[in-house]
Amino acid sequence: MSARCQVLGTVPGFGHSVSHSHVRTKRRFNPNIQKKRYWVPSLGRTVTLRVSAKGIKTIDRKGIDVVVAQILARGEKV
């Protein structure tokens, strides 16, 4: 599975690890992806989402019904 948030669309970032001697090597900054189950009253069932920690906060702020409606409007399967 890819490290992608279903709510925000957050994907890994890329950069460098810099050692003490200042040698730079490529590295990958992955989003903090969690698998979380939510009860969605509008659908009448639970859905399992792969969301980042920031995506969980977004769901808490907007509400699960609004977020699921946005995901479905994009054409993603829930």
Side-chain angles (χ1 to χ4, degrees):
M1 280 256 164
S2 63
R4 184 178 175 280
C5 175
Q6 285 184 291
V7 175
L8 301 175
T10 309
V11 292
F14 296 90
H16 290 95
S17 289
V18 181
S19 68
H20 178 70
S21 64
H22 215 64
V23 174
R24 294 172 185 208
T25 55
K26 292 296 280 181
R27 66 158 291 179
R28 179 176 159 140
F29 295 91
N30 285 324
N32 184 8
I33 298 294
Q34 309 291 323
K35 202 176 212 184
K36 196 136 167 58
R37 284 179 49 173
Y38 288 99
W39 170 255
V40 184
S42 61
L43 298 178
R45 64 182 177 97
T46 60
V47 294
T48 303
L49 298 175
R50 288 176 47 88
V51 292
S52 62
K54 193 172 181 180
I56 293 171
K57 293 176 189 175
T58 302
I59 291 170
D60 290 343
R61 194 170 56 249
K62 290 183 176 180
I64 188 65
D65 283 323
V66 173
V67 172
V68 167
Q70 290 173 347
I71 293 171
L72 292 172
R74 277 190 304 227
E76 268 187 64
K77 190 176 173 186
V78 195

